Coordinates of all heavy atoms in Angstrom, one line a residue:
M1 N 28.8 -3.0 -85.0 CA 28.7 -1.7 -84.2 C 27.6 -1.9 -83.2 O 26.5 -2.2 -83.5 CB 28.4 -0.6 -85.2 CG 28.3 0.7 -84.5 SD 27.9 2.1 -85.6 CE 26.2 1.7 -86.2
R2 N 28.0 -1.6 -81.9 CA 27.0 -1.6 -80.9 C 26.5 -0.2 -80.5 O 27.4 0.7 -80.3 CB 27.6 -2.2 -79.6 CG 27.5 -3.7 -79.8 CD 27.6 -4.4 -78.5 NE 27.7 -5.8 -78.7 CZ 28.1 -6.7 -77.9 NH1 28.6 -6.3 -76.8 NH2 28.2 -8.0 -78.3
L3 N 25.2 0.0 -80.5 CA 24.7 1.3 -80.2 C 24.2 1.4 -78.8 O 23.8 0.4 -78.2 CB 23.5 1.5 -81.1 CG 23.7 1.6 -82.6 CD1 22.4 1.6 -83.3 CD2 24.5 2.8 -82.9
D4 N 24.4 2.6 -78.2 CA 23.8 2.9 -76.9 C 22.3 2.8 -77.0 O 21.7 3.0 -78.1 CB 24.2 4.4 -76.7 CG 23.5 5.0 -75.6 OD1 23.7 4.6 -74.4 OD2 22.7 6.0 -75.8
L5 N 21.7 2.3 -75.9 CA 20.2 2.0 -76.0 C 19.4 3.3 -76.3 O 18.5 3.2 -77.2 CB 19.8 1.5 -74.6 CG 18.3 1.1 -74.5 CD1 17.9 0.0 -75.5 CD2 18.0 0.6 -73.1
T6 N 19.7 4.4 -75.7 CA 18.9 5.6 -76.0 C 19.1 6.0 -77.5 O 18.1 6.4 -78.1 CB 19.5 6.8 -75.1 OG1 19.5 6.3 -73.8 CG2 18.5 8.0 -75.2
R7 N 20.3 5.9 -78.0 CA 20.5 6.2 -79.4 C 19.8 5.3 -80.3 O 19.2 5.7 -81.3 CB 22.0 6.2 -79.7 CG 22.5 6.4 -81.1 CD 22.3 7.9 -81.4 NE 22.7 8.2 -82.8 CZ 22.0 9.0 -83.6 NH1 21.0 9.7 -83.2 NH2 22.4 9.2 -84.8
A8 N 19.8 4.0 -80.0 CA 19.1 3.0 -80.8 C 17.6 3.3 -80.8 O 17.0 3.1 -81.8 CB 19.4 1.6 -80.2
A9 N 17.1 3.7 -79.7 CA 15.6 4.0 -79.6 C 15.3 5.2 -80.5 O 14.3 5.1 -81.2 CB 15.2 4.3 -78.1
E10 N 16.2 6.2 -80.5 CA 15.9 7.3 -81.4 C 15.9 6.9 -82.9 O 15.1 7.3 -83.7 CB 17.1 8.3 -81.3 CG 17.0 9.3 -80.1 CD 18.3 10.1 -79.9 OE1 19.0 10.2 -80.9 OE2 18.5 10.5 -78.8
L11 N 16.9 6.1 -83.2 CA 17.1 5.6 -84.6 C 15.9 4.7 -85.0 O 15.4 4.8 -86.1 CB 18.4 4.9 -84.8 CG 19.6 5.8 -84.7 CD1 20.9 5.0 -84.7 CD2 19.7 6.9 -85.8
L12 N 15.5 3.9 -84.1 CA 14.4 2.9 -84.3 C 13.1 3.7 -84.5 O 12.4 3.4 -85.5 CB 14.3 2.0 -83.1 CG 13.2 0.9 -83.2 CD1 13.4 0.0 -84.4 CD2 13.1 0.1 -81.9
E13 N 12.9 4.7 -83.7 CA 11.7 5.5 -83.9 C 11.7 6.2 -85.3 O 10.6 6.3 -85.9 CB 11.6 6.6 -82.8 CG 10.3 7.3 -82.8 CD 10.0 8.2 -81.6 OE1 10.9 8.2 -80.7 OE2 9.0 8.9 -81.6
R14 N 12.9 6.6 -85.7 CA 13.0 7.2 -87.0 C 12.6 6.3 -88.1 O 11.8 6.6 -89.0 CB 14.4 7.7 -87.3 CG 14.6 8.9 -88.2 CD 16.0 9.1 -88.5 NE 16.8 9.7 -87.4 CZ 18.1 9.9 -87.4 NH1 18.8 9.7 -88.5 NH2 18.7 10.5 -86.4
D15 N 13.0 5.0 -88.0 CA 12.7 4.0 -89.0 C 11.2 3.7 -88.9 O 10.5 3.5 -90.0 CB 13.5 2.7 -88.7 CG 14.9 2.8 -89.2 OD1 15.2 3.7 -90.0 OD2 15.7 1.9 -88.9
V16 N 10.6 3.6 -87.7 CA 9.2 3.3 -87.6 C 8.4 4.4 -88.2 O 7.4 4.1 -88.9 CB 8.9 3.0 -86.1 CG1 7.4 2.9 -85.9 CG2 9.5 1.7 -85.6
E17 N 8.8 5.6 -87.9 CA 8.0 6.7 -88.4 C 8.0 6.8 -89.9 O 7.0 7.1 -90.5 CB 8.5 8.0 -87.7 CG 7.5 9.2 -87.9 CD 7.9 10.4 -87.0 OE1 8.3 10.2 -85.9 OE2 7.7 11.5 -87.5
R18 N 9.2 6.6 -90.4 CA 9.4 6.7 -91.9 C 8.5 5.6 -92.6 O 8.0 5.9 -93.7 CB 10.8 6.6 -92.3 CG 11.0 6.8 -93.8 CD 12.4 6.6 -94.3 NE 13.3 7.5 -93.5 CZ 14.3 7.0 -92.7 NH1 14.5 5.8 -92.6 NH2 15.1 7.9 -92.1
T19 N 8.4 4.5 -92.0 CA 7.8 3.3 -92.7 C 6.3 3.2 -92.3 O 5.5 2.8 -93.1 CB 8.5 2.0 -92.4 OG1 8.7 1.9 -91.0 CG2 9.8 2.0 -93.1
L20 N 6.0 3.4 -91.0 CA 4.6 3.2 -90.5 C 3.9 4.5 -90.2 O 2.7 4.4 -90.0 CB 4.7 2.3 -89.3 CG 5.3 0.9 -89.5 CD1 5.3 0.2 -88.1 CD2 4.5 0.1 -90.5
G21 N 4.6 5.6 -90.1 CA 4.0 6.8 -89.7 C 4.2 7.1 -88.2 O 4.8 6.3 -87.5
P22 N 3.7 8.3 -87.8 CA 4.0 8.7 -86.4 C 3.0 8.0 -85.4 O 2.1 7.3 -85.8 CB 3.6 10.2 -86.4 CG 2.7 10.4 -87.5 CD 3.0 9.3 -88.5
G23 N 3.3 8.1 -84.1 CA 2.4 7.6 -83.1 C 2.9 6.3 -82.4 O 2.2 5.7 -81.7
Y24 N 4.2 5.9 -82.7 CA 4.7 4.7 -82.1 C 5.8 5.1 -81.0 O 6.4 4.2 -80.5 CB 5.3 3.8 -83.1 CG 4.3 3.2 -84.0 CD1 4.0 3.9 -85.2 CD2 3.6 2.1 -83.7 CE1 3.0 3.3 -86.1 CE2 2.6 1.5 -84.5 CZ 2.3 2.2 -85.7 OH 1.4 1.7 -86.5
G25 N 5.9 6.4 -80.7 CA 7.0 6.8 -79.8 C 6.8 6.2 -78.4 O 7.8 5.7 -77.8
E26 N 5.6 6.2 -77.9 CA 5.3 5.6 -76.6 C 5.6 4.1 -76.5 O 6.1 3.6 -75.5 CB 3.9 5.9 -76.1 CG 3.7 7.3 -75.5 CD 2.3 7.5 -75.0 OE1 1.7 6.6 -74.5 OE2 1.8 8.6 -75.2
L27 N 5.2 3.4 -77.6 CA 5.5 2.0 -77.6 C 7.0 1.7 -77.6 O 7.4 0.8 -76.8 CB 4.9 1.5 -79.0 CG 4.4 0.1 -79.0 CD1 3.3 -0.2 -78.0 CD2 3.8 -0.2 -80.4
I28 N 7.7 2.5 -78.3 CA 9.2 2.3 -78.3 C 9.8 2.6 -77.0 O 10.6 1.9 -76.5 CB 9.8 3.1 -79.5 CG1 9.4 2.6 -80.8 CG2 11.3 3.1 -79.3 CD1 9.8 3.5 -82.0
E29 N 9.3 3.7 -76.4 CA 9.8 4.1 -75.1 C 9.5 3.0 -74.0 O 10.3 2.7 -73.2 CB 9.1 5.4 -74.6 CG 9.9 6.1 -73.6 CD 9.3 7.5 -73.3 OE1 9.1 8.2 -74.3 OE2 9.1 7.9 -72.1
G30 N 8.3 2.4 -74.1 CA 8.0 1.3 -73.2 C 8.9 0.1 -73.4 O 9.4 -0.5 -72.4
E31 N 9.2 -0.2 -74.6 CA 10.1 -1.3 -74.9 C 11.5 -1.0 -74.4 O 12.2 -1.8 -73.9 CB 10.2 -1.6 -76.4 CG 8.9 -2.3 -77.0 CD 8.7 -3.6 -76.3 OE1 9.6 -4.4 -76.1 OE2 7.5 -3.9 -76.0
M32 N 11.9 0.3 -74.6 CA 13.2 0.7 -74.1 C 13.3 0.5 -72.6 O 14.3 0.0 -72.1 CB 13.4 2.2 -74.5 CG 14.8 2.6 -74.3 SD 15.0 4.3 -74.9 CE 14.8 5.2 -73.3
L33 N 12.3 0.9 -71.9 CA 12.3 0.8 -70.4 C 12.4 -0.7 -70.0 O 13.1 -1.1 -69.1 CB 11.1 1.5 -69.8 CG 11.1 3.0 -69.9 CD1 9.8 3.6 -69.4 CD2 12.3 3.6 -69.2
A34 N 11.6 -1.5 -70.7 CA 11.6 -2.9 -70.4 C 13.0 -3.6 -70.7 O 13.5 -4.3 -69.9 CB 10.6 -3.6 -71.3
V35 N 13.6 -3.2 -71.8 CA 14.9 -3.7 -72.2 C 16.0 -3.3 -71.3 O 16.9 -4.0 -71.0 CB 15.1 -3.3 -73.7 CG1 16.6 -3.5 -74.1 CG2 14.3 -4.2 -74.7
A36 N 15.9 -2.1 -70.8 CA 16.9 -1.5 -69.9 C 17.1 -2.4 -68.7 O 18.2 -2.3 -68.0 CB 16.6 -0.1 -69.5
E37 N 16.1 -3.2 -68.3 CA 16.2 -4.0 -67.1 C 16.9 -5.3 -67.4 O 17.2 -6.0 -66.5 CB 14.7 -4.4 -66.7 CG 13.8 -3.2 -66.4 CD 14.3 -2.5 -65.1 OE1 14.5 -3.2 -64.1 OE2 14.4 -1.2 -65.2
L38 N 17.1 -5.6 -68.7 CA 17.7 -6.9 -69.0 C 19.2 -6.9 -68.7 O 19.9 -5.9 -68.8 CB 17.5 -7.2 -70.5 CG 16.1 -7.3 -71.0 CD1 16.1 -7.5 -72.5 CD2 15.4 -8.5 -70.3
A39 N 19.7 -8.1 -68.4 CA 21.2 -8.2 -68.2 C 21.8 -8.8 -69.5 O 22.3 -9.9 -69.6 CB 21.4 -9.2 -67.1
R40 N 21.6 -8.0 -70.6 CA 22.2 -8.4 -71.8 C 23.3 -7.4 -72.2 O 23.2 -6.2 -71.9 CB 21.2 -8.5 -72.9 CG 20.4 -9.8 -72.8 CD 19.3 -9.9 -73.8 NE 19.8 -9.8 -75.2 CZ 19.1 -10.2 -76.3 NH1 17.9 -10.6 -76.1 NH2 19.6 -10.0 -77.5
D41 N 24.3 -7.8 -73.0 CA 25.3 -6.8 -73.3 C 25.0 -6.0 -74.5 O 25.7 -5.1 -74.8 CB 26.7 -7.5 -73.3 CG 26.7 -8.6 -74.4 OD1 25.7 -9.0 -74.9 OD2 27.8 -9.2 -74.6
D42 N 24.0 -6.4 -75.3 CA 23.7 -5.6 -76.5 C 22.2 -5.3 -76.4 O 21.3 -5.9 -76.9 CB 24.0 -6.4 -77.8 CG 23.9 -5.4 -79.0 OD1 23.3 -4.3 -78.8 OD2 24.3 -5.8 -80.1
L43 N 21.9 -4.2 -75.6 CA 20.6 -3.8 -75.4 C 19.9 -3.2 -76.6 O 18.7 -3.3 -76.8 CB 20.5 -2.8 -74.2 CG 20.9 -3.3 -72.8 CD1 20.9 -2.2 -71.8 CD2 20.1 -4.5 -72.4
A44 N 20.7 -2.6 -77.5 CA 20.1 -2.0 -78.7 C 19.5 -3.2 -79.5 O 18.4 -3.0 -80.1 CB 21.2 -1.3 -79.5
Y45 N 20.3 -4.3 -79.6 CA 19.8 -5.4 -80.4 C 18.5 -5.9 -79.8 O 17.5 -6.2 -80.5 CB 20.8 -6.5 -80.3 CG 20.4 -7.8 -81.1 CD1 20.7 -7.9 -82.5 CD2 19.8 -8.8 -80.5 CE1 20.3 -9.0 -83.2 CE2 19.4 -9.9 -81.2 CZ 19.6 -10.0 -82.5 OH 19.2 -11.1 -83.2
A46 N 18.4 -6.0 -78.4 CA 17.2 -6.5 -77.8 C 16.0 -5.6 -78.0 O 14.9 -6.0 -78.2 CB 17.5 -6.6 -76.2
L47 N 16.3 -4.3 -78.0 CA 15.2 -3.3 -78.3 C 14.7 -3.5 -79.7 O 13.4 -3.6 -79.8 CB 15.8 -1.9 -78.1 CG 14.8 -0.8 -78.5 CD1 13.6 -0.7 -77.6 CD2 15.5 0.6 -78.6
V48 N 15.5 -3.5 -80.6 CA 15.1 -3.6 -82.0 C 14.3 -5.0 -82.2 O 13.2 -5.0 -82.8 CB 16.3 -3.5 -83.0 CG1 15.8 -3.8 -84.4 CG2 16.9 -2.2 -82.9
E49 N 14.9 -6.0 -81.7 CA 14.3 -7.3 -81.8 C 12.9 -7.4 -81.2 O 11.9 -7.9 -81.8 CB 15.2 -8.3 -81.1 CG 14.9 -9.8 -81.4 CD 15.9 -10.7 -80.7 OE1 16.0 -10.6 -79.5 OE2 16.5 -11.5 -81.4
N50 N 12.8 -6.8 -80.0 CA 11.5 -6.8 -79.3 C 10.4 -5.9 -80.0 O 9.3 -6.3 -80.1 CB 11.6 -6.2 -77.9 CG 12.3 -7.2 -76.9 OD1 12.8 -8.2 -77.4 ND2 12.3 -6.9 -75.7
M51 N 10.9 -4.8 -80.5 CA 9.9 -3.9 -81.2 C 9.5 -4.6 -82.5 O 8.3 -4.5 -82.8 CB 10.6 -2.6 -81.5 CG 9.7 -1.5 -82.1 SD 8.4 -1.1 -80.9 CE 7.4 -0.1 -82.0
Q52 N 10.4 -5.2 -83.2 CA 10.0 -5.9 -84.4 C 9.1 -7.0 -84.2 O 8.0 -7.2 -84.9 CB 11.3 -6.4 -85.1 CG 11.2 -7.0 -86.4 CD 12.5 -7.3 -87.1 OE1 13.5 -7.6 -86.4 NE2 12.6 -7.3 -88.4
Q53 N 9.3 -7.8 -83.1 CA 8.4 -8.9 -82.7 C 7.0 -8.4 -82.4 O 6.0 -8.9 -82.8 CB 9.0 -9.5 -81.5 CG 8.5 -10.9 -81.2 CD 8.8 -11.9 -82.3 OE1 10.0 -12.1 -82.7 NE2 7.8 -12.5 -83.0
L54 N 7.0 -7.2 -81.7 CA 5.7 -6.6 -81.3 C 4.9 -6.2 -82.6 O 3.7 -6.5 -82.7 CB 6.0 -5.4 -80.4 CG 4.8 -4.8 -79.7 CD1 5.0 -5.1 -78.2 CD2 4.8 -3.3 -79.9
L55 N 5.6 -5.6 -83.5 CA 4.9 -5.1 -84.7 C 4.4 -6.3 -85.5 O 3.3 -6.3 -86.1 CB 5.8 -4.3 -85.6 CG 6.2 -2.9 -85.0 CD1 7.3 -2.3 -85.9 CD2 5.0 -2.0 -84.9
H56 N 5.1 -7.4 -85.5 CA 4.7 -8.6 -86.2 C 3.6 -9.3 -85.5 O 2.5 -9.6 -86.1 CB 5.9 -9.7 -86.3 CG 7.0 -9.2 -87.2 ND1 8.2 -9.9 -87.4 CD2 7.2 -8.0 -87.9 CE1 9.0 -9.2 -88.2 NE2 8.4 -8.1 -88.5
D57 N 3.7 -9.5 -84.2 CA 2.7 -10.2 -83.4 C 1.4 -9.5 -83.3 O 0.3 -10.1 -83.2 CB 3.3 -10.4 -81.9 CG 4.4 -11.4 -81.9 OD1 4.7 -12.0 -83.0 OD2 5.0 -11.6 -80.8
E58 N 1.4 -8.2 -83.3 CA 0.2 -7.4 -83.2 C -0.4 -7.2 -84.6 O -1.4 -6.4 -84.7 CB 0.5 -6.0 -82.5 CG 1.0 -6.1 -81.1 CD 0.0 -6.6 -80.1 OE1 -1.2 -6.2 -80.3 OE2 0.3 -7.3 -79.2
F59 N 0.2 -7.7 -85.6 CA -0.2 -7.6 -87.0 C -0.3 -6.1 -87.4 O -1.1 -5.7 -88.2 CB -1.6 -8.2 -87.2 CG -1.6 -9.7 -87.0 CD1 -2.0 -10.3 -85.8 CD2 -1.0 -10.6 -87.9 CE1 -2.0 -11.6 -85.5 CE2 -1.0 -11.9 -87.7 CZ -1.4 -12.5 -86.5
I60 N 0.6 -5.3 -86.8 CA 0.7 -3.9 -87.3 C 1.4 -3.9 -88.6 O 0.9 -3.2 -89.6 CB 1.5 -3.1 -86.2 CG1 0.7 -3.0 -84.9 CG2 1.8 -1.7 -86.8 CD1 1.4 -2.5 -83.7
D61 N 2.4 -4.7 -88.8 CA 3.1 -4.9 -90.1 C 3.9 -6.2 -89.9 O 4.9 -6.2 -89.3 CB 4.0 -3.7 -90.4 CG 4.6 -3.8 -91.8 OD1 4.6 -5.0 -92.3 OD2 5.0 -2.8 -92.4
T62 N 3.4 -7.2 -90.5 CA 4.0 -8.6 -90.3 C 5.3 -8.8 -91.1 O 6.0 -9.8 -90.9 CB 3.0 -9.7 -90.7 OG1 2.6 -9.5 -92.1 CG2 1.8 -9.7 -89.8
T63 N 5.7 -7.8 -91.9 CA 7.0 -7.9 -92.6 C 7.9 -6.7 -92.3 O 8.8 -6.5 -93.0 CB 6.9 -8.1 -94.1 OG1 6.1 -7.0 -94.6 CG2 6.3 -9.4 -94.5
W64 N 7.6 -6.0 -91.2 CA 8.4 -4.8 -90.8 C 9.8 -5.2 -90.4 O 9.9 -6.0 -89.5 CB 7.7 -4.0 -89.7 CG 8.3 -2.7 -89.6 CD1 8.0 -1.5 -90.3 CD2 9.4 -2.3 -88.7 NE1 8.8 -0.5 -89.9 CE2 9.7 -1.0 -89.0 CE3 10.1 -3.0 -87.8 CZ2 10.7 -0.3 -88.3 CZ3 11.1 -2.3 -87.1 CH2 11.4 -1.0 -87.4
P65 N 10.8 -4.4 -90.9 CA 10.7 -3.5 -92.0 C 10.9 -4.3 -93.3 O 11.8 -5.1 -93.4 CB 11.9 -2.5 -91.8 CG 12.9 -3.3 -91.0 CD 12.1 -4.4 -90.3
A66 N 10.0 -4.1 -94.3 CA 10.1 -4.9 -95.5 C 11.4 -4.7 -96.3 O 11.9 -3.6 -96.4 CB 8.9 -4.5 -96.4
C67 N 11.9 -5.8 -96.8 CA 13.1 -5.7 -97.6 C 12.8 -5.0 -98.9 O 11.9 -5.4 -99.6 CB 13.6 -7.2 -97.9 SG 15.0 -7.2 -99.0
P68 N 13.6 -4.0 -99.2 CA 13.4 -3.3 -100.5 C 13.7 -4.1 -101.7 O 13.3 -3.8 -102.8 CB 14.3 -2.0 -100.4 CG 15.3 -2.4 -99.4 CD 14.7 -3.4 -98.5
R69 N 14.5 -5.2 -101.6 CA 14.9 -6.0 -102.7 C 13.8 -7.0 -103.0 O 13.6 -7.4 -104.2 CB 16.2 -6.7 -102.4 CG 17.3 -5.8 -102.3 CD 18.5 -6.4 -101.5 NE 19.2 -7.3 -102.4 CZ 20.4 -7.0 -103.0 NH1 20.9 -5.8 -102.8 NH2 21.0 -7.9 -103.8
H70 N 13.1 -7.5 -102.0 CA 12.2 -8.6 -102.2 C 10.7 -8.2 -101.7 O 9.8 -8.9 -102.1 CB 12.6 -9.9 -101.5 CG 14.0 -10.2 -101.8 ND1 15.1 -10.0 -101.0 CD2 14.5 -10.8 -102.9 CE1 16.2 -10.4 -101.6 NE2 15.9 -10.9 -102.8
S71 N 10.7 -7.3 -100.8 CA 9.4 -6.8 -100.2 C 8.5 -7.8 -99.5 O 7.6 -7.5 -98.8 CB 8.6 -6.0 -101.2 OG 8.0 -6.9 -102.1
R72 N 8.8 -9.1 -99.6 CA 8.0 -10.1 -99.0 C 8.5 -10.6 -97.6 O 7.9 -11.4 -96.9 CB 7.9 -11.4 -99.9 CG 7.0 -11.1 -101.1 CD 7.1 -12.2 -102.1 NE 6.2 -12.0 -103.2 CZ 4.9 -12.2 -103.2 NH1 4.3 -12.8 -102.2 NH2 4.2 -11.9 -104.2
H73 N 9.7 -10.2 -97.3 CA 10.2 -10.6 -96.0 C 10.8 -9.4 -95.2 O 11.2 -8.4 -95.9 CB 11.3 -11.7 -96.2 CG 12.6 -11.2 -96.8 ND1 13.6 -10.6 -96.0 CD2 13.0 -11.2 -98.0 CE1 14.6 -10.3 -96.8 NE2 14.3 -10.6 -98.0
P74 N 10.9 -9.5 -93.9 CA 11.4 -8.4 -93.2 C 12.9 -8.4 -93.2 O 13.6 -9.4 -93.4 CB 10.9 -8.6 -91.7 CG 10.6 -10.1 -91.7 CD 10.3 -10.6 -93.1
L75 N 13.5 -7.2 -93.0 CA 15.0 -7.1 -92.8 C 15.2 -7.5 -91.3 O 14.4 -7.4 -90.5 CB 15.4 -5.7 -93.0 CG 15.2 -5.1 -94.4 CD1 15.5 -3.6 -94.4 CD2 16.0 -5.9 -95.5
W76 N 16.5 -7.9 -91.1 CA 16.9 -8.3 -89.7 C 18.0 -7.4 -89.3 O 18.9 -7.1 -90.0 CB 17.2 -9.8 -89.7 CG 16.0 -10.6 -90.0 CD1 15.8 -11.2 -91.2 CD2 14.8 -10.8 -89.2 NE1 14.5 -11.8 -91.2 CE2 13.9 -11.6 -90.0 CE3 14.5 -10.5 -87.9 CZ2 12.7 -12.0 -89.5 CZ3 13.2 -10.9 -87.5 CH2 12.4 -11.6 -88.2
Y77 N 17.9 -7.1 -88.0 CA 18.9 -6.2 -87.4 C 20.1 -6.9 -86.9 O 20.0 -8.0 -86.2 CB 18.2 -5.5 -86.2 CG 19.2 -4.5 -85.5 CD1 19.5 -3.3 -86.1 CD2 19.7 -4.8 -84.3 CE1 20.3 -2.4 -85.4 CE2 20.6 -4.0 -83.7 CZ 20.9 -2.7 -84.2 OH 21.7 -1.9 -83.6
E78 N 21.3 -6.4 -87.3 CA 22.6 -7.0 -86.8 C 23.6 -5.9 -86.9 O 23.7 -5.2 -87.9 CB 22.9 -8.1 -87.8 CG 24.0 -9.0 -87.3 CD 23.6 -9.9 -86.1 OE1 22.7 -10.7 -86.3 OE2 24.2 -9.7 -85.0
D79 N 24.4 -5.8 -85.9 CA 25.6 -4.8 -86.0 C 25.2 -3.4 -86.3 O 25.9 -2.8 -87.1 CB 26.6 -5.3 -86.9 CG 27.3 -6.6 -86.5 OD1 27.4 -6.8 -85.2 OD2 27.8 -7.4 -87.3
G80 N 24.1 -2.9 -85.8 CA 23.7 -1.5 -86.0 C 23.1 -1.3 -87.4 O 22.9 -0.1 -87.8
A81 N 22.7 -2.4 -88.1 CA 22.2 -2.2 -89.4 C 21.1 -3.2 -89.8 O 20.9 -4.2 -89.1 CB 23.3 -2.3 -90.5
W82 N 20.3 -2.9 -90.8 CA 19.3 -3.8 -91.3 C 19.8 -4.6 -92.5 O 20.5 -4.1 -93.4 CB 18.1 -3.0 -91.8 CG 17.3 -2.2 -90.8 CD1 17.3 -0.9 -90.6 CD2 16.5 -2.8 -89.8 NE1 16.5 -0.6 -89.5 CE2 16.0 -1.7 -89.0 CE3 16.1 -4.1 -89.5 CZ2 15.1 -1.9 -87.9 CZ3 15.2 -4.3 -88.4 CH2 14.7 -3.2 -87.7
W83 N 19.6 -5.9 -92.4 CA 20.1 -6.8 -93.4 C 19.0 -7.6 -94.1 O 18.0 -8.0 -93.5 CB 21.0 -7.9 -92.7 CG 22.3 -7.3 -92.1 CD1 22.3 -6.5 -91.0 CD2 23.6 -7.4 -92.6 NE1 23.7 -6.1 -90.8 CE2 24.4 -6.6 -91.8 CE3 24.2 -8.0 -93.8 CZ2 25.8 -6.5 -92.0 CZ3 25.5 -7.9 -94.0 CH2 26.3 -7.2 -93.1
C84 N 19.2 -7.9 -95.4 CA 18.4 -8.8 -96.1 C 19.1 -10.2 -96.0 O 20.2 -10.4 -96.5 CB 18.3 -8.5 -97.6 SG 17.7 -9.9 -98.6
T85 N 18.5 -11.1 -95.2 CA 19.2 -12.4 -95.0 C 19.1 -13.3 -96.2 O 19.9 -14.2 -96.3 CB 18.6 -13.1 -93.7 OG1 17.2 -13.1 -93.8 CG2 19.0 -12.4 -92.4
Q86 N 18.2 -13.0 -97.0 CA 18.1 -13.8 -98.2 C 19.3 -13.7 -99.1 O 19.8 -14.7 -99.7 CB 16.8 -13.5 -99.0 CG 16.5 -14.4 -100.1 CD 15.1 -14.2 -100.7 OE1 14.1 -13.9 -100.0 NE2 15.0 -14.2 -102.0
D87 N 19.7 -12.4 -99.3 CA 20.9 -12.2 -100.1 C 22.2 -12.0 -99.3 O 23.3 -11.8 -99.9 CB 20.7 -10.9 -101.0 CG 19.6 -11.1 -102.0 OD1 19.2 -12.3 -102.2 OD2 19.1 -10.2 -102.6
G88 N 22.0 -11.9 -98.0 CA 23.2 -11.6 -97.1 C 23.7 -10.2 -97.4 O 24.9 -10.0 -97.3
V89 N 22.9 -9.3 -97.6 CA 23.3 -7.9 -97.9 C 22.8 -6.9 -96.9 O 21.7 -7.0 -96.3 CB 22.6 -7.5 -99.3 CG1 22.9 -6.0 -99.6 CG2 23.1 -8.4 -100.4
R90 N 23.8 -6.0 -96.5 CA 23.4 -4.9 -95.6 C 22.7 -3.9 -96.4 O 23.2 -3.3 -97.3 CB 24.8 -4.4 -95.1 CG 24.6 -3.3 -94.0 CD 26.0 -2.9 -93.6 NE 26.0 -1.9 -92.6 CZ 25.9 -0.5 -92.9 NH1 25.8 -0.1 -94.1 NH2 26.0 0.3 -91.9
I91 N 21.4 -3.6 -95.9 CA 20.6 -2.6 -96.6 C 20.8 -1.2 -96.2 O 21.0 -0.3 -97.0 CB 19.1 -3.0 -96.5 CG1 18.8 -4.5 -97.0 CG2 18.2 -2.0 -97.2 CD1 19.0 -4.7 -98.5
A92 N 20.8 -1.0 -94.9 CA 20.9 0.4 -94.4 C 21.2 0.4 -92.9 O 20.9 -0.6 -92.2 CB 19.6 1.1 -94.6
P93 N 21.9 1.4 -92.4 CA 22.1 1.5 -91.0 C 20.7 1.7 -90.3 O 19.8 2.2 -90.9 CB 23.0 2.7 -90.8 CG 23.0 3.4 -92.0 CD 22.5 2.5 -93.1
L94 N 20.7 1.4 -89.0 CA 19.5 1.7 -88.2 C 19.2 3.2 -88.3 O 20.1 4.0 -88.1 CB 19.7 1.2 -86.7 CG 18.5 1.4 -85.8 CD1 17.4 0.5 -86.2 CD2 18.9 1.1 -84.4
G95 N 17.9 3.5 -88.5 CA 17.6 5.0 -88.6 C 17.5 5.4 -90.0 O 17.0 6.5 -90.3
E96 N 17.9 4.5 -91.0 CA 17.9 4.9 -92.4 C 17.3 3.8 -93.2 O 17.6 3.7 -94.4 CB 19.3 5.2 -92.9 CG 19.8 6.5 -92.2 CD 21.3 6.8 -92.6 OE1 21.6 6.5 -93.7 OE2 22.0 7.3 -91.8
V97 N 16.4 3.1 -92.6 CA 15.7 2.0 -93.4 C 14.9 2.7 -94.5 O 14.2 3.7 -94.3 CB 14.8 1.1 -92.5 CG1 13.5 1.7 -92.1 CG2 14.6 -0.2 -93.1
P98 N 14.9 2.2 -95.7 CA 14.2 2.8 -96.8 C 12.7 2.6 -96.6 O 12.2 1.5 -96.2 CB 14.7 2.1 -98.1 CG 15.4 0.9 -97.6 CD 15.7 1.0 -96.2
A99 N 11.9 3.6 -96.9 CA 10.5 3.5 -96.9 C 10.0 2.7 -98.1 O 10.5 2.9 -99.2 CB 9.8 4.9 -96.9
A100 N 9.1 1.8 -97.9 CA 8.6 1.0 -99.0 C 7.7 2.0 -99.9 O 7.2 2.9 -99.4 CB 7.7 -0.1 -98.5
P101 N 7.7 1.7 -101.2 CA 6.9 2.5 -102.1 C 5.4 2.6 -101.6 O 4.9 1.5 -101.3 CB 7.0 1.8 -103.4 CG 8.2 0.9 -103.3 CD 8.3 0.6 -101.9
G102 N 4.9 3.8 -101.5 CA 3.5 3.9 -101.1 C 3.2 3.8 -99.7 O 2.1 3.8 -99.2
S103 N 4.3 3.8 -98.8 CA 4.1 3.8 -97.4 C 3.9 5.2 -96.9 O 4.0 6.2 -97.6 CB 5.3 3.1 -96.7 OG 6.4 3.9 -96.7
A104 N 3.8 5.3 -95.6 CA 3.4 6.5 -94.9 C 4.2 7.8 -95.3 O 3.6 8.8 -95.5 CB 3.5 6.3 -93.4
A105 N 5.5 7.6 -95.4 CA 6.3 8.8 -95.7 C 6.5 9.0 -97.2 O 6.9 10.0 -97.7 CB 7.7 8.7 -95.0
Ligands
ZN201 ZN1 15.5 -9.4 -99.2

């Protein structure tokens, strides 16, 4: 499933807020504007990938979003959803990533 970039940004913000708390809206908006310039056919994928990379690289959360099955590795985005690549299992659609126990929400 391919998402519209604006819709993907909304859902991504929901996931970030649920897991890391509020205050990342501007960051996501900035990434959205940067990604909108790209000549790629799946901009939603590029947005999620860039945001995830940023959270990892800035040490905001190096396993974001943490896999609820293993918690030691991040989930990966594919086809509008978050996946545990270790088990090859689809965990949740974008916008509905489960909050880790004890996290912000
Ligand atoms: Zn996993």
